[in-house]
């Protein structure tokens, strides 16, 4: 797919750290609610459930720090970046 480039209108924004790009790419390319459990299974298949949820939370924090204006919706059960936002 190549290097991730994040655009904010017509300007290029700094992407989140590399370890968070897989989560961001998944949320952007699948614009529906995704359970945290499923994301842990996809992104951290060799990690315990608890460890995977910690890693997912870490990646989510990195994305929010790098892209504070991103319309990321999150609950304890699911994450989503709506396509219309």
């Amino acid at each position: 797919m190549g290097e991730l480039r994040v655009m904010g209108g017509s300007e290029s924004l700094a992407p989140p750290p590399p370890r968070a790009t897989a989560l961001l790419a998944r949320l952007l390319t699948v614009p529906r609610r995704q359970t945290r459990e499923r994301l842990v299974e996809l992104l951290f298949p060799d990690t315990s459930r608890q460890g995977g949820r910690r890693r997912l939370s870490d990646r989510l924090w990195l994305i929010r720090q790098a892209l504070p204006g991103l319309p990321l919706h999150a609950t304890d059960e699911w994450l989503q970046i709506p396509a219309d936002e």
Side-chain angles (χ1 to χ4, degrees):
M1 290 179 67
E3 185 177 319
L4 176 67
R5 203 167 101 192
V6 180
M7 301 297 292
S10 62
E11 65 183 70
S12 182
L13 303 172
R19 69 179 192 259
T21 57
L23 174 58
L24 179 59
R26 173 70 184 193
L27 293 171
L28 290 171
T29 59
V30 182
R32 63 177 182 274
R33 288 183 180 176
Q34 299 182 67
T35 66
R36 288 179 183 251
E37 289 300 316
R38 180 66 180 139
L39 290 168
V40 166
E41 290 171 5
L42 289 171
L43 299 172
F44 314 110
D46 298 330
T47 306
S48 70
R49 181 179 172 270
Q50 183 179 4
R53 284 191 64 105
R54 252 192 324 268
R55 291 176 76 181
L56 182 66
S57 180
D58 172 65
R59 286 3 181 234
L60 185 58
W61 184 85
L62 290 170
I63 291 170
R64 285 185 164 157
Q65 294 301 306
L67 304 168
L70 187 69
L72 177 60
H73 300 249
T75 70
D76 288 342
E77 299 299 318
W78 55 265
L79 303 173
Q80 178 183 20
I81 299 174
D84 59 348
E85 292 186 41

